[in-house]
Amino acid sequence: MAQNTTTTSASQHGNIVILGGSYGGVSVAHYLLKHAVPQLRDQGPYQVILISASSQVICRPACPRALISDDLFDQDKLFVSIETAFKPYSDGSFRFVNATATALDHTNRTVSVSLPTGNTETIDFHALVIATGACTHSPLFGLNRDVEYLRSNWTAFRQALPDSKSIVIAGGGPTGIETAGELGEHLNGRAGWFSSKLANPKVSITVVTSASQILPNVRPSLAQKAEEHLAKVGVTVVKDTRVQTATPPDAGTDSALTSKATLTLSDGNTLQADLYIPSTGTRPNTAFIDKALLTSDGRVDTNASTMRVDKAGPRIYAIGDASSYARPAIHIITEAIPFLCANIKRDLLLASGKEKSAVGEDRVFEVDTRETQLVPIGKSKGIGAAMGYRLPGFVVWLMKGRDYWLWTTGPLWSGKQWAKEK
């Protein structure tokens, strides 16, 4: 069947196009619709166009627990329809496009997208925000495609889990450690109060990390405490080595998610795994962008202070895991949203003819580099620090461990979190 291509042109002043429908993209859309678009109406019609490959958003941090069973979370809160979240904007100022970005022409200011029908659409933009995020090596940890794809991988994993006697997780970051803790407690239970480790666990679970400690973004004493919690649910940690090769090579990925694997480590040892879970970082979703606009690791080269993509021309911005503005972290995204949106609003007002004296100066974002990371390990334990201060385990449970931040996403997806201009 021949593909059809349509073109959506900017109106008198234009389309504000946002690529990506997760924490960054949804937040920017709400913020601009509430605090920028209303002030621009006198200058002409503007429309915020949010483009996402998935029609739903997910509380992504919950995946290490959610992959085990649908019974562990309210599914109507875990997954939320984007169109439903934006229903209050019924005046034509918002449009949702369920599509995947395939090409960005930053010179002619158009973005091409592929629709689920196989057709394509080219959309002109007056302003553009790139918030396409990143995909994981394992298809278990987020919306690499859409909700149906994620759920199908969870189903396959769950079906393989009861017959698995050995699980290897590559990567000692938060996702790997949280997954190990959740699987360990689910499959092995937890050692008694006076035991330092679980004796004779039903399932062998091994975490392999190339670093000298797990959780390299926290102090060594917290990493050691996390390792002690893991030992109590039957998890072994192998440090200072990496998984060099896997046989089959695609073990743990979407094409061989539940394949048994032989893993050769960089120290020469081998591990056998009934299930292998690669959890070593992410890949930015930026293949559709001119490489001249990317850093060496594939992220969009972004001004860390203003979140503008200076090389791309006026009114083009980037935020989140696809951007080089800061390390990937949801709390950094939400901290940066008011700064980014203030600068977008300022640029739009200037482009509409407002004088610089009337719109003020740029807002300059400075990322908080103090130690901040919360890592649940099973349903009741965990380690964490916030703004440089160590947090007690019960605070980690209260803030994150009880539902992996699900208590925070309702106001964010609905836009209530951005009701006031910050």
Side-chain angles (χ1 to χ4, degrees):
M1 181 183 293
Q3 291 186 348
N4 294 321
T5 302
T6 59
T7 300
T8 301
S9 299
S11 56
Q12 180 182 350
H13 282 85
N15 300 324
I16 304 168
V17 174
I18 300 168
L19 301 178
S22 190
Y23 289 85
V26 169
S27 294
V28 169
H30 276 302
Y31 203 105
L32 295 178
L33 285 162
K34 292 178 184 297
H35 306 299
V37 171
Q39 294 190 29
L40 291 161
R41 286 194 177 119
D42 290 343
Q43 279 72 45
Y46 288 82
Q47 185 178 55
V48 173
I49 302 176
L50 180 62
I51 300 171
S52 174
S54 173
S55 63
Q56 295 177 282
V57 286
I58 182 178
C59 179
R60 190 179 66 212
C63 287
R65 182 176 294 168
L67 62 84
I68 294 173
S69 171
D70 284 353
D71 296 334
L72 298 175
F73 291 103
D74 182 338
Q75 298 297 296
D76 290 334
K77 292 182 179 179
L78 184 63
F79 297 99
V80 174
S81 163
I82 292 176
E83 288 190 290
T84 299
F86 284 88
K87 270 188 177 179
Y89 310 102
S90 57
D91 58 355
S93 60
F94 176 79
R95 177 189 173 207
F96 174 64
V97 181
N98 183 194
T100 302
T102 56
L104 168 63
D105 184 340
H106 61 278
T107 302
N108 293 308
R109 304 180 71 78
T110 65
V111 61
S112 298
V113 300
S114 175
L115 304 169
T117 59
N119 295 332
T120 60
E121 182 175 353
T122 299
I123 301 173
D124 294 346
F125 62 82
H126 182 62
L128 176 72
V129 180
I130 302 167
T132 45
C135 60
T136 56
H137 297 285
S138 167
L140 299 172
F141 297 127
L143 297 175
N144 284 1
R145 296 184 191 173
D146 55 21
V147 172
E148 290 71 25
Y149 176 75
L150 176 62
R151 284 193 178 280
S152 68
N153 283 293
W154 282 355
T155 297
F157 183 82
R158 292 166 184 172
Q159 290 173 345
L161 203 53
D163 296 325
S164 299
K165 299 302 179 185
S166 59
I167 300 173
V168 177
I169 300 169
T175 299
I177 298 308
E178 289 168 352
T179 302
E182 294 294 334
L183 289 173
E185 185 165 348
H186 175 70
L187 297 169
N188 296 327
R190 185 177 289 275
W193 183 262
F194 297 106
S195 300
S196 61
K197 61 184 290 188
L198 185 69
N200 303 314
K202 297 176 184 176
V203 179
S204 168
I205 302 174
T206 305
V207 172
V208 179
T209 177
S210 60
S212 59
Q213 68 170 57
I214 58 173
L215 304 173
N217 287 329
V218 301
R219 69 194 74 175
S221 62
L222 283 176
Q224 180 58 39
K225 187 66 176 177
E227 197 168 334
E228 292 169 7
H229 286 320
L230 289 172
K232 288 201 168 193
V233 294
V235 176
T236 301
V237 176
V238 177
K239 293 174 281 192
D240 293 311
T241 190
R242 68 178 69 242
V243 175
Q244 194 141 342
T245 61
T247 305
D250 55 350
T253 67
D254 52 0
S255 57
L257 177 65
T258 59
S259 295
K260 296 179 185 294
T262 299
L263 307 170
T264 302
L265 308 185
S266 57
D267 63 5
N269 290 318
T270 60
L271 295 173
Q272 301 297 322
D274 292 332
L275 287 172
Y276 173 51
I277 305 175
S279 178
T280 51
T282 59
R283 298 186 300 270
N285 296 321
T286 56
F288 64 97
I289 298 173
D290 188 329
K291 289 183 179 180
L293 303 182
L294 304 179
T295 59
S296 59
D297 63 0
R299 294 189 293 169
V300 180
D301 192 355
T302 310
N303 185 316
S305 298
T306 65
M307 283 155 280
R308 295 187 183 97
V309 184
D310 294 328
K311 295 179 181 178
R315 300 182 303 282
I316 298 179
Y317 317 83
I319 192 171
D321 294 6
S323 168
S324 69
Y325 80 116
R327 70 178 177 90
I330 291 171
H331 74 276
I332 296 178
I333 294 174
T334 55
E335 289 168 3
I337 290 295
F339 294 84
L340 167 60
C341 292
N343 291 333
I344 296 173
K345 178 180 175 181
R346 179 180 184 274
D347 292 346
L348 290 171
L349 288 170
L350 287 172
S352 73
K354 294 286 186 180
E355 296 293 331
K356 285 187 177 182
S357 58
V359 299
E361 299 297 323
D362 281 342
R363 286 193 66 182
V364 175
F365 177 68
E366 293 185 17
V367 65
D368 187 341
T369 58
R370 291 175 293 180
E371 179 189 32
T372 297
Q373 195 164 79
L374 279 68
V375 183
I377 299 173
K379 292 182 178 179
S380 61
K381 302 296 182 180
I383 62 92
M387 295 179 288
Y389 294 95
R390 180 171 182 165
L391 297 176
F394 80 90
V395 175
V396 175
W397 172 84
L398 184 66
M399 294 180 68
K400 184 177 180 182
R402 58 192 173 109
D403 69 357
Y404 278 86
W405 300 120
L406 198 61
W407 64 277
T408 68
T409 55
L412 194 146
W413 302 144
S414 69
K416 291 180 181 178
Q417 181 165 331
W418 311 114
K420 294 182 179 180
E421 192 167 14
K422 300 180 180 180

